[in-house]
Amino acid sequence: MPAQVSSDLIWEIVRGNNSYLVKRKSSGGVQLSRDPLNLTNKNARKWAGFVNEKAIGVAPAEKGGVKVLSKKSEASQKPAKSVTETTYSGGKSSRKTYVAVANQAAKNGYRADLREAAVARASAIRHSYKDTKPTPETKLRGSKAKKAAE
């Protein structure tokens, strides 16, 4: 069933004021988005998942996993049924997770730029789970090392 209102018209109406919009005057007036189906968090028509009939999003899941949210175009007029979730566990290797995310985006007919952004987002989420290495103690060199040895 086609949408009753075009997504372009919806975007023109809500682009300056919606529940996902974050405006920061202190950072040069930048506008960001908290939309779970927005892969880059930019407030732009290209990335707005709540406006497009087909959209894909990537979010963190429990135990180091990645959750892929996909919006079905058939149920675009039924918001509760339009989003499906697929979870990839943290026990799976990172490369297999990225391939699975890319395949899910490609086989369901999403745009190629969304596929690249989805893999990048999944990579950033998996990378955020890693513990940071402790900074090593700085070694004294030259005359300072000689003075410390005495």
Side-chain angles (χ1 to χ4, degrees), residues 16-139:
N17 189 13
N18 61 66
S19 63
Y20 299 119
L21 186 60
V22 179
K23 295 181 179 180
R24 295 284 183 252
K25 290 181 181 175
S26 63
S27 300
V30 72
Q31 292 185 353
L32 301 173
S33 175
R34 288 190 176 131
D35 182 10
L37 296 173
N38 186 330
L39 292 168
T40 60
N41 293 339
K42 294 178 184 174
N43 185 41
R45 165 76 174 88
K46 178 180 181 179
W47 303 109
F50 71 99
V51 171
N52 295 322
E53 284 189 23
K54 290 186 83 170
I56 191 166
V58 180
E62 295 88 28
K63 299 179 183 174
V66 174
K67 181 170 45 175
V68 178
L69 309 164
S70 57
K71 188 175 177 183
K72 297 182 285 187
S73 60
E74 306 91 50
S76 62
Q77 298 298 315
K78 300 174 186 173
K81 296 181 180 180
S82 67
V83 178
T84 59
E85 294 182 2
T86 306
T87 304
Y88 299 105
S89 68
K92 187 182 246 190
S93 74
S94 295
R95 187 174 297 247
K96 286 184 179 180
T97 301
Y98 306 152
V99 168
V101 170
N103 285 341
Q104 182 175 353
K107 291 178 180 173
N108 291 331
Y110 293 101
R111 299 187 330 244
D113 59 333
L114 289 182
R115 186 177 341 142
E116 292 172 13
V119 172
R121 182 78 175 242
S123 174
I125 289 171
R126 288 296 297 255
H127 187 71
S128 71
Y129 290 133
K130 291 185 178 181
D131 294 329
T132 57
K133 291 182 180 179
T135 55
E137 192 174 308
T138 57
K139 295 180 182 178

